[in-house]
Amino acid sequence: MAQTSSLSLDRRLAGFSTYETTPEEALALFREARAAGRSVFWSDAQDGHYVFLDHADVKAAHVDWETYRSGPQVLRPLADRPRFPPIEYDPPEHASWRKLFAEVLNPDTARMHEAAVRDDVETLLDELARRDTFDLQADFAEQVPLLALCHVIGFDKTKRSEVRRYTVELHAASGDPARAVAAFQAFAEFGLNEVQARLHEPRDDFLTKLAHARMDDRPLTPMEIGATMNSLLNAGHGTTVSGLTSLLWEVLRAPGIRRRLIEDPALIPFAVEESMRLHTPFFGIYRMTARDVTVGGVDIPSGSSVQLMWAAANRDPRVFRDPDAFDLDRDLGSNRLLTFGFGIHSCMGQPMARMEMNVALGALLRRLPDIELIAPDAVKHEFAGSETALIKSLPARIVR
């Protein structure tokens, strides 16, 4: 019986792909693999790749960029498109791209835009307060980061529907290389047009800076501008929508947690961190090995695809006690949450994402204390293309 079970696990690991499963099933498979001593395993999917589950292995790989290269791309399957800066560049090119992105995403960004985000959130809540029922995903969680991006990058609010359409299509197309190329090109053209418009009508915004940016003493090419816009808009929207929706679900379905946060709003940042650990919005990123390496007792040849599974690392029982539970009192310590990656490629927008979620949850609990979810036990996370896991709908109502 044990041998049959082991063979069954081998087959399931060999066929693992986020395109063929659900987040719940994937997490269950990771638990089983880890219990069987398979913290590193091979999957035939996505042209073949290794998967790292343990927190220590995932973190170490992020630090060792000379062994685990970000190029040619951090998603699978590979698509015929330019690299996304700065995440798909390694040193020395990476430093120049990260410096450019620091013009819009830096330690001051969240503070500079917090007041505008608060105003947007209050306006959205004004609209919800006039309704009996609504969808917290579509009517609230999707809107907050979209409006924030408009502020941060410099888009007019009238462009938000286009931004949403392009980001949704780009995520959904990730499993189909041909469709992904078309989605990238459409998004790149949209972003390029916005940047070029600033050449004629400059403003005090990042689009204007991008229009005049130089890389190694030369202007950016149209495709580089398009790739930059793809990086900013794709990373800055979908994952924050996922993170905020999961946070609202966890808090509003648990009366005790909700009550504690209402009584002590200082606990809200802890709820944000715990939700991002438990419901990692983007399951994991890919690297390519530049040399032979052995991890978890598995020999990995040079030139191999490796998926660094953030979602599994964030539930490693050797790092997080009772890892599958939402624990508002959990001490996450420092540098343990891998939701935003780690090392030189860590997400530059994470302070902004955290601020948006803190502001949104705090205002919602203050303004709509009588809100309740409709059928919260029926809510499921789903993969929405690429490695993004999200709740696609979160119906709610106000008890009057």
Side-chain angles (χ1 to χ4, degrees):
M1 181 66 70
Q3 183 178 10
T4 301
S5 176
S6 176
L7 289 173
S8 175
L9 176 60
D10 287 341
R11 285 195 295 267
R12 284 180 285 134
L13 293 177
F16 170 73
S17 167
T18 55
Y19 297 106
E20 304 295 334
T21 188
T22 68
E24 184 179 11
E25 291 167 344
L27 291 168
L29 181 63
F30 299 158
R31 285 193 295 270
E32 187 177 351
R34 185 177 272 135
R38 304 286 298 278
S39 63
V40 176
F41 67 84
W42 169 262
S43 169
D44 295 321
Q46 312 304 340
D47 296 322
H49 67 285
Y50 294 89
V51 180
F52 289 8
L53 300 180
D54 281 358
H55 189 278
D57 293 336
V58 172
K59 188 174 181 179
H62 273 293
V63 173
D64 186 5
W65 58 265
E66 292 179 304
T67 299
Y68 301 93
R69 307 294 287 178
S70 298
Q73 294 169 18
V74 297
L75 303 177
R76 300 292 185 275
L78 296 174
D80 184 18
R81 60 162 176 80
R83 287 185 287 176
F84 289 145
I87 196 170
E88 292 181 339
Y89 286 83
D90 288 306
E93 297 92 347
H94 174 263
S96 297
W97 281 109
R98 196 160 176 108
K99 181 179 179 180
L100 173 62
F101 273 65
E103 293 279 350
V104 64
L105 297 173
N106 55 62
D108 294 326
T109 303
R111 176 187 54 78
M112 289 172 55
H113 296 286
E114 182 172 350
V117 170
R118 288 188 181 279
D119 288 343
D120 291 336
V121 167
E122 294 293 340
T123 299
L124 290 170
L125 291 175
D126 286 342
E127 297 174 4
L128 296 185
R130 290 191 287 267
R131 299 164 58 180
D132 292 327
T133 62
F134 39 80
D135 190 328
L136 280 172
Q137 199 274 354
D139 299 326
F140 188 64
E142 258 207 9
Q143 305 302 319
V144 173
L146 199 56
L147 292 168
L149 276 170
C150 291
H151 296 303
V152 171
I153 298 177
F155 284 119
D156 294 328
K157 289 185 179 181
T158 56
K159 301 289 184 180
R160 66 180 180 176
S161 61
E162 292 179 85
V163 174
R164 178 186 180 278
R165 174 164 54 85
Y166 286 123
T167 54
V168 169
E169 175 58 24
L170 196 63
H171 276 294
S174 295
D176 182 337
R179 185 181 170 195
V181 170
F184 172 87
Q185 290 175 339
F187 210 165
E189 184 176 348
F190 166 75
L192 180 61
N193 288 339
E194 292 297 310
V195 170
Q196 289 179 332
R198 293 298 189 272
L199 290 172
H200 308 291
E201 297 181 8
R203 303 181 190 176
D204 183 17
D205 60 17
F206 182 68
L207 289 172
T208 301
K209 292 179 181 178
L210 194 57
H212 297 280
R214 301 183 69 82
M215 187 64 57
D216 300 326
D217 293 326
R218 62 167 178 81
L220 298 183
T221 67
M223 290 309 294
E224 286 174 335
I225 291 175
T228 298
M229 297 305 296
N230 268 276
S231 289
L232 286 168
L233 299 173
N234 199 31
H237 182 246
T239 53
T240 307
V241 172
S242 171
L244 179 53
T245 309
S246 295
L247 173 66
L248 296 174
W249 178 61
E250 280 291 355
V251 170
L252 297 181
R253 74 188 182 116
I257 296 294
R258 183 214 299 245
R259 185 167 50 253
R260 288 185 64 188
L261 296 179
I262 290 175
E263 294 174 353
D264 186 1
L267 293 174
I268 289 176
F270 296 94
V272 170
E273 295 298 297
E274 176 67 348
S275 182
M276 286 194 296
R277 180 198 67 82
L278 189 63
H279 302 295
T280 307
F282 195 84
F283 256 48
I285 208 159
Y286 285 86
R287 294 286 189 263
M288 189 76 76
T289 55
R291 64 179 180 87
D292 295 347
V293 65
T294 299
V295 180
V298 176
D299 294 328
I300 301 173
S302 176
S304 298
S305 285
V306 173
Q307 187 174 24
L308 308 180
M309 193 59 72
W310 298 342
N314 279 339
R315 295 191 182 210
D316 188 335
R318 285 177 292 187
V319 179
F320 305 102
R321 176 183 53 81
D322 196 11
D324 298 322
F326 183 92
D327 184 356
L328 186 57
D329 298 309
R330 188 186 303 278
D331 180 8
L332 288 173
S334 61
N335 295 329
R336 291 205 296 171
L337 196 70
L338 295 181
T339 301
F340 297 101
F342 191 73
I344 64 171
H345 290 100
S346 61
C347 175
M348 298 180 71
Q350 56 182 295
M352 192 70 188
R354 285 185 166 99
M355 179 273 287
E356 292 169 34
M357 286 188 271
N358 275 281
V359 168
L361 178 59
L364 183 140
L365 293 177
R366 174 176 52 81
R367 292 281 308 277
L368 305 177
D370 295 325
I371 191 174
E372 70 175 15
L373 299 180
I374 299 171
D377 294 339
V379 171
K380 299 291 184 183
H381 285 79
E382 303 175 51
F383 284 117
S386 183
E387 311 300 322
T388 301
L390 53 77
I391 295 170
K392 292 185 176 180
S393 179
L394 191 62
R397 62 187 164 215
I398 298 176
V399 180
R400 302 187 189 277

